[in-house]
Amino acid sequence: MIYGDRATGVLVHNATGRQGAFHLDLMNAYAREVGGRGVVAGVTPGKGGQEVHGVPVYNSVKEALQEHDATASVIFVPAVAAGDSIMEAAHAGIELVVVITEHIPVHDTMKAIAYADLHDCVVVGPNCPGLLSPGECKLGIMPAHLFSRGNVGVVSRSGTLTYEVVDELSRAGIGQSTVVGIGGDPVIGQTFSDVLARFEDDPATDAVVVIGEVGGNLEEEGVRSTDLAVVAYIAGVSAPPEKRMGHAGAIIEGGEGDARSKARRLSALGVPVASRPSEIPHLVRELL
Amino acid sequence: MKLLEYEAKSVFSEYGIPVPKGALVRAPEELTPHLPELGSMMVLKAQVDVGGRGKAGGILVADASSAVDAARDLFSRTIRGVPVHEILVEERLPIEHEYYASITIDRSSKQPVILFADAGGVEIEAVAQEDAGAVRRVTLSPLLRDVPPFLLRELLGDAPKEIGPIVNRLYRVFQEKDALLTEINPLVTTPDGIYAADAKLIIDDNALARQGITVNRDLSEREREAERHGFSYVELDGTIGVIGNGAGLTMSTLDLIEYYGGKAANFLDVGGGADKTRVCHAVRLLASVPSVKVIVVNLLGGITRCDEVAQGIIDAGVAPQVIVRMAGTNEEEGRRLLAEHGYRMVDSMDAAVRAAVEAAR
């Protein structure tokens, strides 16, 4: 596993919100199943002293850490305040922040990630489903019953498409070491390169599925940076070309963020590229 | 959201970036009172959100005596299919040199990146492709409020140092207006100063509310309805309606429809945590499109609960032509509800799409 294991203590930010409470409960159900510590405390400013599904809630990360031992945070805070929550966690000494929230203004994300960097805090997301290491820990909202333990890592920009691929792998008898949703926003904390570097150091991972989308060129950057056996799938080949956004994007990214040319460039690097999700297990098996 | 040139110039001007003297007109006659301040030669620029506007006939040059006629001509045109409702009329600058300056986000380093080129103008992308060194770039920490002088020196090279403060103001615009892109192309030197001859400003859609911007786009009735419910919705020209959750899975469903030889009628992402009311609205929305013969619902629960989705589909009450594929949180309950009401459930994405392509034939 990478990022976390059974011993990882977790905080949930906005544990008193509808989604926060719902997924806190599911994360702890998974922790009980695998014998992990799971969510040890919730944080919602102004709601300190309450309990959510038996988990105590505090007004701040600092207060929570005075009573509990935690190294990871999962953030369900609304978009306007999510950047602040990331910085609060990093400032208080949290080592890993998983940001589920979508629609965070990108300038907030950039600043929060830069601030977290200064505190050696790793950010996964935003706008992501989190991560899950079968048999070890679940940080986020992934539906655990689709997963099975094994030696294939998955890293993806998507949420639900990741579950689709995991489902296909599990049905084909191919288990996963860790599945990481890095998020679909233009600026994200952990990129394909970062996650692939962790997989490379992970003795439990023998091959990785990379799931990309239209836009940017981080999939290619990641695949170039690793020696691992990789299978790729890129969503969006049927998407109409995006509206142009001035010249700057085209100059920086070489103007080739569309799915088809991305898939072509990955193929040219010798990476098997699946034409649909159900083809992935077959391609993975050929590598193992 | 992309602002029009005159809106962007008004923001630039607020931040102390010099722009040419100009006037916005919505009819040819409105130009007459502005003529004295615009000099002997002027440039008329159609305010349309179209790339390659100049080449498409959206920019005219005229003298004071012919300007009103030129405006009339321009108002009668459509620029790449877009009608002209507003024209920005500006003094024609005595240009000595054209530069290029822009600020955007570098996804790879997760920081703002400033680009600058000594040769600005319409051919900037070709210039960049031919000579990688022609466009200089610097990235800087988003925690900085100003561009440090050493970075400005690196960026500008031998260009006039008076451009430095303009780049700094452009960076302020970028930060304070939640911009995804600010671009000046060309940034021109003239005998009496430096001007932003054109201006581009794209605001982050996720920041429109705090920027106090309300969007008034040209939407169809259905697109408006979709926006009201918070769906990400794009109309296409096929016959298979698609409802998915999450952009990736929905996109992948569209790809699979193409793979099996069908044509999608739309892209509709109901988003995370969709409740039964929203799913019901989504199904009814697609059922109201005349060209839609069959609807594929492809949902994987994470933050979405399958029982809620099932109830939403049932509430919509358009039974026969909905093919459902679901897996995830509370899946069994969702499956049971749908079966009770006679809906067609399939077990895989491939099977759902194949069935839909078949039904649409």
Side-chain angles (χ1 to χ4, degrees):
Chain A
M1 65 286 186
I2 54 178
Y3 295 104
D5 56 22
R6 275 173 287 184
T8 304
V10 183
L11 303 183
V12 165
H13 295 231
N14 196 18
T16 51
R18 180 172 175 265
Q19 298 300 344
F22 180 71
H23 287 290
L24 178 151
D25 198 27
L26 288 177
M27 273 187 267
N28 273 348
Y30 193 71
R32 280 192 297 277
E33 194 182 314
V34 302
R37 290 184 61 217
V39 182
V40 296
V43 176
T44 307
K47 301 269 173 80
Q50 296 186 6
E51 272 196 4
V52 174
H53 297 294
V55 173
V57 175
Y58 298 85
N59 287 316
S60 69
V61 176
K62 198 172 159 187
E63 279 179 29
L65 290 182
Q66 276 161 6
E67 303 297 325
H68 304 272
D69 175 25
T71 53
S73 277
V74 183
I75 292 182
F76 292 92
V77 174
V80 286
D84 182 54
S85 275
I86 298 168
M87 294 192 285
E88 183 190 358
H91 190 88
I94 291 288
E95 294 161 18
L96 173 68
V97 178
V98 176
V99 190
I100 309 301
T101 310
E102 57 181 342
H103 301 308
I104 302 177
V106 69
H107 282 258
D108 290 6
T109 303
M110 270 197 297
K111 283 179 190 141
I113 289 174
Y115 187 82
D117 268 350
L118 294 177
H119 291 78
D120 292 319
C121 170
V122 169
V123 177
V124 175
N127 187 15
C128 83
L131 56 101
L132 195 153
S133 297
E136 291 291 338
C137 75
K138 162 175 154 159
L139 298 169
I141 63 172
M142 291 186 179
H145 71 283
L146 300 176
F147 291 67
S148 56
R149 192 169 191 160
N151 60 348
V152 173
V154 178
V155 54
S156 169
R157 276 173 65 188
S158 170
T160 45
L161 180 57
T162 315
Y163 316 154
E164 174 66 34
V165 172
V166 167
D167 191 35
E168 296 278 0
L169 288 171
S170 292
R171 281 170 195 265
I174 300 170
Q176 306 89 43
S177 55
T178 299
V179 178
V180 187
I182 57 177
D185 281 4
V187 173
I188 48 175
Q190 293 285 283
T191 61
F192 284 105
S193 311
D194 299 320
V195 180
L196 284 163
R198 296 223 180 198
F199 275 133
E200 219 168 300
D201 293 338
D202 176 29
T205 302
D206 293 329
V208 178
V209 179
V210 166
I211 305 166
E213 284 178 10
V214 285
N217 57 3
L218 296 180
E219 292 88 350
E220 190 186 347
E221 181 187 288
V223 167
R224 278 183 189 279
S225 72
T226 185
D227 294 328
L228 277 166
V230 170
V231 168
Y233 171 71
I234 307 288
V237 293
S238 66
E242 270 184 279
K243 259 198 172 176
R244 291 173 48 88
M245 305 224 313
H247 299 290
I251 291 171
I252 291 175
E253 283 156 9
E256 295 213 53
D258 70 282
R260 244 179 251 284
S261 54
K262 242 185 219 200
R264 226 179 3 250
R265 288 199 307 274
L266 289 171
S267 288
L269 293 172
V271 172
V273 180
S275 58
R276 56 201 161 111
S278 56
E279 219 174 76
I280 294 171
H282 171 69
L283 294 177
V284 170
R285 212 183 292 282
E286 284 187 339
L287 288 183
L288 291 173
Chain B
M1 190 195 58
K2 188 170 168 185
L3 301 190
L4 291 170
E5 178 192 2
Y6 79 91
E7 297 168 317
K9 277 184 169 159
S10 132
V11 173
F12 283 14
S13 193
E14 229 176 87
Y15 279 76
I17 299 170
V19 299
K21 263 183 240 153
L24 183 78
V25 296
R26 295 188 169 87
E29 312 74 56
E30 285 181 21
L31 180 52
T32 314
H34 296 288
L35 288 174
E37 70 206 57
L38 293 172
S40 56
M41 292 296 287
M42 54 202 80
V43 186
L44 294 85
K45 303 164 97 177
Q47 298 300 289
V48 289
D49 176 14
V50 163
R53 178 182 56 172
K55 283 182 188 157
I59 298 176
L60 299 178
V61 176
D63 61 21
S65 64
S66 63
V68 175
D69 286 339
R72 195 165 288 121
D73 175 9
L74 196 49
F75 274 120
S76 71
R77 297 185 186 186
T78 56
I79 313 301
R80 296 199 201 283
V82 181
V84 179
H85 297 303
E86 296 167 317
I87 297 175
L88 179 63
V89 187
E90 290 182 331
E91 59 173 332
R92 190 185 195 197
L93 296 168
I95 295 171
E96 288 175 335
H97 191 85
E98 298 189 332
Y99 295 93
Y100 171 87
S102 71
I103 307 175
T104 186
I105 292 164
D106 177 32
R107 293 176 179 219
S108 178
S109 71
K110 307 158 201 174
Q111 294 181 328
V113 55
I114 310 177
L115 306 182
F116 185 83
D118 295 314
V122 289
E123 303 302 335
I124 183 69
E125 277 177 50
V127 169
Q129 235 163 25
E130 248 165 56
D131 173 11
V135 182
R136 289 188 290 276
R137 64 183 74 180
V138 298
T139 56
L140 71 162
S141 166
L143 300 176
L144 291 173
R145 249 181 87 73
D146 291 296
V147 186
F150 82 92
L151 278 183
L152 284 176
R153 289 196 297 272
E154 185 181 328
L155 186 74
L156 298 183
D158 294 329
K161 63 179 187 308
E162 290 77 14
I163 293 176
I166 292 176
V167 172
N168 228 328
R169 288 169 198 152
L170 193 64
Y171 184 61
R172 277 289 171 86
V173 171
F174 180 72
Q175 284 184 309
E176 292 177 10
K177 294 296 174 187
D178 277 300
L180 299 179
L181 172 78
T182 55
E183 186 173 81
I184 305 176
N185 186 33
L187 176 68
V188 302
T189 52
T190 72
D192 51 16
I194 301 170
Y195 294 91
D198 197 358
K200 212 163 267 168
L201 180 53
I202 299 174
I203 310 284
D204 181 1
D205 284 343
N206 288 336
L208 293 178
R210 75 175 175 201
Q211 289 296 340
I213 297 172
T214 42
V215 185
N216 194 10
R217 267 167 296 153
D218 238 358
L219 297 177
S220 73
E221 188 56 39
R222 272 190 297 275
E223 284 170 328
R224 214 172 286 283
E225 169 92 8
E227 191 174 74
R228 226 180 354 260
H229 297 300
F231 302 148
S232 171
Y233 179 67
V234 181
E235 290 191 343
L236 304 166
D237 54 8
T239 54
I240 302 171
V242 178
I243 297 172
N245 61 336
L249 185 68
T250 313
M251 240 186 317
S252 181
T253 309
L254 260 60
D255 292 349
L256 205 56
I257 288 172
E258 188 181 86
Y259 181 87
Y260 283 116
K263 287 196 91 177
N266 69 285
F267 171 103
L268 193 160
D269 170 11
V270 288
D275 62 16
K276 61 184 173 199
T277 320
R278 300 184 62 202
V279 171
C280 173
H281 283 306
V283 174
R284 283 188 181 158
L285 182 76
L286 295 196
S288 76
V289 181
S291 59
V292 169
K293 291 185 183 165
V294 56
I295 297 169
V296 189
V297 178
N298 185 19
L299 300 173
L300 280 179
I303 209 160
T304 301
R305 305 184 211 188
C306 293
D307 52 338
E308 284 264 349
V309 171
Q311 196 56 54
I313 292 168
I314 293 160
D315 291 349
V318 290
Q321 288 300 24
V322 184
I323 297 166
V324 186
R325 184 284 172 115
M326 285 196 298
T329 305
N330 299 348
E331 178 182 337
E332 283 316 308
E333 177 63 8
R335 189 179 295 272
R336 191 186 59 76
L337 277 170
L338 281 175
E340 263 175 24
H341 290 80
Y343 280 85
R344 193 162 165 202
M345 280 273 294
V346 291
D347 279 333
S348 77
M349 184 165 152
D350 282 74
V353 168
R354 271 203 308 265
V357 170
E358 197 56 42
R361 279 221 172 90

